[in-house]
């Protein structure tokens, strides 16, 4: 469903940010992309969305090469929660933002409204429906951004720090929603307990390279591996030596 084959990229010339990255994510898999600040996690997501060109290698999503010719088709299959929700809400209200995707992909207004109400109810944020995007809190924005992709029902979900800025109750809600969501999912987070709960597999990035790729319950309990790469054991394993 997602394939990176020997991918390298750079924001500035001669300063590679990702260095020869390769991995494959099968349909229906939920994969956690972890790594310290600056490791390259958000860059992987930007590449998948075609927001940044790769200097080397090949990226495939939903069976299509990620290039200019296929970008619209690929973006229609990918739902994304960006790290900074500010950059992704572009309509005045939460409702209009939620309407945009489904209407753009040809759903009827009734079906779109049904999906929107279901997504808001699932996340228990119906009260935000007609609020202005610029007049809600950071955590509310993130919840709204997650609701937007729930209403779209994409084949592929990319979530960059979906639980950052959420209170414990909303964090729990989002974890449950992710667990019950069909589709292929790639999630980045520094909340490794959340990654443990939602992902079966983990890819560890460090300095733009893949340092480990394997079952979540193996990688997330490997203190030495995590600490060598400036991470810490999730709380669930923190007391086990
Ligand atoms: N727009 C940009 N221009 C130049 N360099 C950038 C840009 N965005 C990111 N970088 C650099 O690319 C590297 C990877 O950044 P990226 O945002 O992918 O990290 P990340 O793993 O998502 O980190 P975080 O945990 O802080 O979100 C970093 O060294 C960062 O400084
Ligand atoms: Mg990031």
């Amino acid at each position: 469903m997602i394939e990176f084959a020997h991918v390298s990229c750079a924001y500035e010339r001669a300063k590679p940010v990702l260095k020869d990255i390769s991995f494959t994510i099968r349909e229906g898999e939920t994969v956690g992309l972890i790594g310290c600040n600056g490791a390259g996690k958000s860059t992987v997501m930007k590449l998948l969305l075609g927001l940044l060109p790769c200097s080397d290698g090949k990226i495939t999503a939903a069976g299509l090469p990620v290039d200019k010719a296929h970008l619209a088709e690929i973006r229609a299959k990918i739902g994304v929660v960006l790290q900074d929700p500010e950059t992704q809400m572009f309509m005045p209200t939460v409702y209009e933002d939620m309407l945009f995707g489904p209407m753009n992909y040809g759903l009827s207004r009734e079906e779109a409204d049904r999906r929107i109400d279901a997504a808001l109810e699932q996340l228990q944020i119906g009260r935000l429906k007609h609020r202005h995007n610029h007049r809600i809190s950071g955590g509310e924005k993130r919840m709204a951004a997650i609701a937007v992709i729930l209403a779209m029902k994409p084949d592929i979900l990319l979530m960059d720090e979906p639980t950052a800025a959420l209170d414990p109750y909303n964090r729990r809600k989002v974890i449950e929603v992710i667990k019950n969501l069909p589709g292929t999912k790639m999630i980045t987070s520094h909340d490794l307990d959340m990654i443990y709960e939602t992902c079966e597999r983990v890819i560890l990035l460090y300095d733009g390279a893949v340092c480990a790729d394997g079952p979540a319950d193996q990688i997330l309990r490997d203190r030495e591996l995590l600490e060598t790469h400036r991470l810490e054991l999730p709380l669930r394993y923190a007391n086990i030596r």
Side-chain angles (χ1 to χ4, degrees):
M1 200 56 157
I2 297 175
E3 188 178 8
F4 275 58
H6 301 289
V7 171
S8 299
C9 80
Y11 291 94
E12 294 157 42
R13 245 210 268 189
K15 271 201 201 160
V17 167
L18 296 184
K19 301 154 195 167
D20 194 15
I21 284 199
S22 295
F23 60 82
T24 304
I25 297 178
R26 291 186 306 277
E27 185 167 355
E29 243 186 329
T30 301
V31 175
L33 191 61
I34 65 169
C36 58
N37 290 139
K41 306 177 297 296
S42 298
T43 303
V44 165
M45 296 203 169
K46 284 184 212 164
L47 285 170
L48 260 172
L49 291 165
L51 297 173
L52 184 74
C54 45
S55 50
D56 233 323
K58 193 168 172 226
I59 304 172
T60 314
L64 301 165
V66 179
D67 57 24
K68 272 215 176 85
H70 298 93
L71 220 48
E73 209 178 331
I74 286 172
R75 283 189 189 161
K77 292 175 193 287
I78 299 183
V80 61
V81 175
L82 295 174
Q83 187 162 11
D84 176 8
E86 299 279 350
T87 56
Q88 110 172 77
M89 322 283 273
F90 53 95
M91 301 294 274
T93 67
V94 171
Y95 172 66
E96 288 160 292
D97 244 328
M98 292 184 76
L99 201 54
F100 184 83
M103 293 293 278
N104 221 17
Y105 300 129
L107 287 186
S108 70
R109 180 71 179 247
E110 277 124 29
E111 175 60 15
D113 273 325
R114 246 196 310 276
R115 285 193 187 186
I116 289 168
D117 288 336
L120 291 169
E121 191 181 280
Q122 214 181 343
L123 292 168
Q124 296 179 356
I125 53 165
R127 67 188 186 288
L128 297 181
K129 184 171 176 180
H130 296 294
R131 295 282 302 277
H132 275 260
N133 281 323
H134 298 294
R135 292 187 201 142
I136 57 179
S137 76
E140 287 172 338
K141 271 179 205 152
R142 189 163 306 270
M143 291 299 277
I146 294 170
V148 169
I149 60 166
L150 289 188
M152 272 180 60
K153 298 196 181 173
D155 297 340
I156 299 175
L157 268 125
L158 305 180
M159 301 176 115
D160 202 351
E161 293 283 354
T163 54
L166 296 188
D167 65 38
Y169 185 85
N170 279 338
R171 171 183 177 274
R172 175 59 42 202
K173 272 250 91 51
V174 168
I175 289 174
E176 295 310 322
V177 164
I178 294 174
K179 276 162 68 170
N180 291 315
L181 215 55
T184 307
K185 287 161 269 174
M186 186 189 258
I187 306 170
T188 84
S189 188
H190 296 295
D191 177 353
L192 298 189
D193 286 281
M194 184 274 277
I195 293 289
Y196 177 86
E197 283 197 63
T198 52
C199 301
E200 62 220 67
R201 175 176 156 205
V202 165
I203 296 175
L204 169 61
L205 281 185
Y206 186 77
D207 196 17
V210 174
C211 297
D213 181 349
D217 59 359
Q218 213 167 297
I219 290 180
L220 295 177
R221 68 165 80 215
D222 189 336
R223 180 191 290 264
E224 199 186 325
L225 175 73
L226 294 174
E227 290 184 355
T228 309
H229 298 100
R230 284 183 42 202
L231 295 173
E232 281 184 359
L233 283 174
L235 288 176
R236 63 179 303 112
Y237 292 134
N239 295 322
I240 306 169
R241 279 237 161 227

